[in-house]
Amino acid sequence: MEETQTDSCIICGQRHQKGILILAAFLCEDCELEIVGTDVHDVKYPYFVHQMGQVLYKKNA
Ligand SMILES: [Zn+2]
């Protein structure tokens, strides 16, 4: 594994120094908070699920 300090976020695609790793995917603090604060009925929610689903798919492929 490479260093994860400046990984690209799976949601916004920007590089951040702070964030969390979900499986092998990096999620920045901003997006983490946004997802946590997003209602399942929000229009953005399917996008988040889709992005994270891609990560799961890649890992299992
Ligand atoms: Zn982000």
Side-chain angles (χ1 to χ4, degrees), residues 8-16 26-32 34:
S8 296
C9 171
I10 57 164
I11 301 296
C12 65
Q14 294 183 31
R15 289 181 173 271
H16 293 269
F26 180 81
L27 185 66
C28 75
E29 280 191 328
D30 290 349
C31 292
E32 181 195 355
E34 198 169 351

